[in-house]
Amino acid sequence: MIELIGKVVEVGTSETIYTGKLIEVNEEDVYLESESGWIVVPVEKVGFIREKEE
């Protein structure tokens, strides 16, 4: 997952898919920077993280 830091990714949860630049992943949260601001997703809600296809 460290190879995705700095890239635009999709983070999927059971509720939605978030899109933004992956800034940080730690034991508790995933941090994305999106056009509308910061998105913080709790790790326990994350189903997948993948690089966004062009």
Side-chain angles (χ1 to χ4, degrees), residues 21-52:
K21 185 194 294 185
L22 183 62
I23 302 298
E24 181 181 348
V25 178
N26 61 37
E27 293 178 5
E28 297 177 6
D29 298 307
V30 175
Y31 295 86
L32 300 175
E33 184 179 14
S34 72
E35 291 180 7
S36 59
W38 288 94
I39 301 169
V40 181
V41 183
V43 167
E44 67 263 8
K45 292 191 174 190
V46 173
F48 65 83
I49 299 176
R50 63 182 176 217
E51 189 169 1
K52 183 168 174 30

